[in-house]
Amino acid sequence: MILTVTLNTALDLTYRVPALTPHASHRVTQVIERPGGKGLNVARVLAALGYETVATGFAGGATGATLRDQLASTPVRDELVETAGPTRRTVAVVDTASGDTTQLNEPGPTVTAAEWAALRTRFTALLDGARAVALCGSLPPGIHVGAYAELVRLARTAGVPVLLDTSGEPLRRGIAARPDLVKPNADELAQLTGAREPHRATRDARRRGARAVVSSLGPEGLLAATPEGVWRAAPPAAVRGNPTGAGDSAVAGLLSGLVDEAAWPDRLTRAVALSAATVLSPVAGEFDPAAYEELLTRVKVVEEAP
């Protein structure tokens, strides 16, 4: 099975409005509610692709109960740890006229030392039988910035490949623990390394401890620096739609390729195709299966000089 970790889960709300205008009242035409947080998004995509997936992290309060009720209707196995504080909400407001999305993210509950200890115990037990693990998203209040570094070391000790997808100081600490793969976007990578040029930034990130670095370049696709080579992968054309969850779908593609022991070009093809198919989906954070299958044949992957 594939294990995903979401320390700052969320109940995602998507509002669709005809046009979003500042300082004005809006009539909402559609409301969609679903379990969210980066790792849960990854788990949902992997499950839709047919992979056995387990999700752990934190959930609490009325919003946490709603999240878990909705997660129960999916193939993802719930191994979330209960918190006294309520799970946060995130609100995405989609302007249907322009296709643009405005995101509002709450900070999350304050996690206690006892709750963090319970998560570590649950995570360690779940590593037995895991083929890969993804550590995804922001840290809720109360969790120290070295939390992901701790979990990376636990996974490495258990011999389980680990992907890290976070930002800021948690990324800086986590990458020093030597994860198998990190997937920052261009801004997160620049913040980590101080370099804006993508090739230099990915090289610098690898030197900091990651075995491989896959950087998201937005509409231009992905740049991967790996022990086996350097590749750039891009969709066949610009894709317009709702980008919510597109990066998480890319992580799911990379993880599926990892557990299938696919070559890097195939992993990147899956990641870019899933990301683009998510942008094209009418529901935020879901992917269009037909678009995904069609895009798999059209993603462009080019090997570049180191």
Side-chain angles (χ1 to χ4, degrees):
M1 60 88 168
I2 300 174
L3 175 63
T4 71
V5 179
T6 314
L7 297 182
N8 207 7
T9 58
L11 185 64
D12 285 349
L13 300 171
T14 300
Y15 295 152
R16 300 183 70 88
V17 298
L20 183 61
T21 305
H23 316 298
S25 297
H26 297 80
R27 186 174 297 278
V28 177
T29 59
Q30 184 184 32
V31 180
I32 299 170
E33 184 179 77
R34 63 179 178 82
K38 292 180 73 65
L40 287 183
N41 294 340
V42 172
R44 186 169 50 249
V45 172
L46 285 167
L49 292 170
Y51 293 87
E52 181 187 359
T53 310
V54 175
T56 191
F58 295 112
T63 47
T66 301
L67 181 153
R68 299 184 84 163
D69 284 345
Q70 295 188 4
L71 191 62
S73 66
T74 75
V76 178
R77 192 173 106 211
D78 176 357
E79 288 286 350
L80 297 169
V81 172
E82 188 76 20
T83 60
T87 295
R88 65 184 178 136
R89 294 161 297 182
T90 67
V91 178
V93 183
V94 180
D95 182 324
T96 55
S98 67
D100 293 335
T101 301
T102 299
Q103 192 82 17
L104 304 172
N105 297 330
E106 295 180 359
T110 298
V111 176
T112 67
E115 290 164 349
W116 169 243
L119 185 284
R120 279 175 48 101
T121 300
R122 181 78 55 89
F123 177 76
T124 302
L126 290 170
L127 287 173
D128 184 16
R131 300 172 65 193
V133 59
L135 310 174
C136 302
S138 62
L139 299 179
I143 296 291
H144 64 94
V145 294
Y148 280 134
E150 280 192 48
L151 299 184
V152 169
R153 285 191 286 268
L154 287 171
R156 285 180 56 82
T157 298
V160 179
V162 56
L163 181 154
L164 177 62
D165 183 15
T166 187
S167 60
E169 191 61 23
L171 174 60
R172 190 180 306 278
R173 301 284 186 93
I175 203 170
R178 306 186 69 80
D180 294 88
L181 174 62
V182 295
K183 198 214 72 67
N185 61 35
D187 288 338
E188 293 163 350
L189 196 58
Q191 184 182 13
L192 173 70
T193 66
R196 278 282 172 188
E197 198 284 314
H199 289 83
R200 178 181 175 184
T202 53
R203 287 197 306 270
D204 286 353
R206 284 198 67 207
R207 282 196 287 266
R208 291 169 184 265
R211 177 173 171 79
V213 179
V214 176
S215 175
S216 173
L217 305 178
E220 298 178 12
L222 301 173
L223 176 66
T226 80
E228 288 78 28
V230 178
W231 287 272
R232 187 185 290 266
V239 179
R240 287 189 59 81
N242 185 352
T244 303
D248 304 328
S249 291
V251 169
L254 293 169
L255 280 171
S256 73
L258 188 158
V259 299
D260 291 343
E261 299 182 351
W264 271 104
D266 183 30
R267 300 186 199 187
L268 297 171
T269 296
R270 297 186 195 190
V272 170
L274 275 171
S275 180
T278 300
V279 174
L280 292 170
S281 173
V283 179
E286 308 290 343
F287 73 93
D288 183 322
Y292 171 58
E293 292 297 331
E294 193 267 340
L295 284 161
L296 279 173
T297 66
R298 300 177 59 212
V299 171
K300 304 171 185 175
V301 182
V302 178
E303 187 169 12
E304 300 193 342

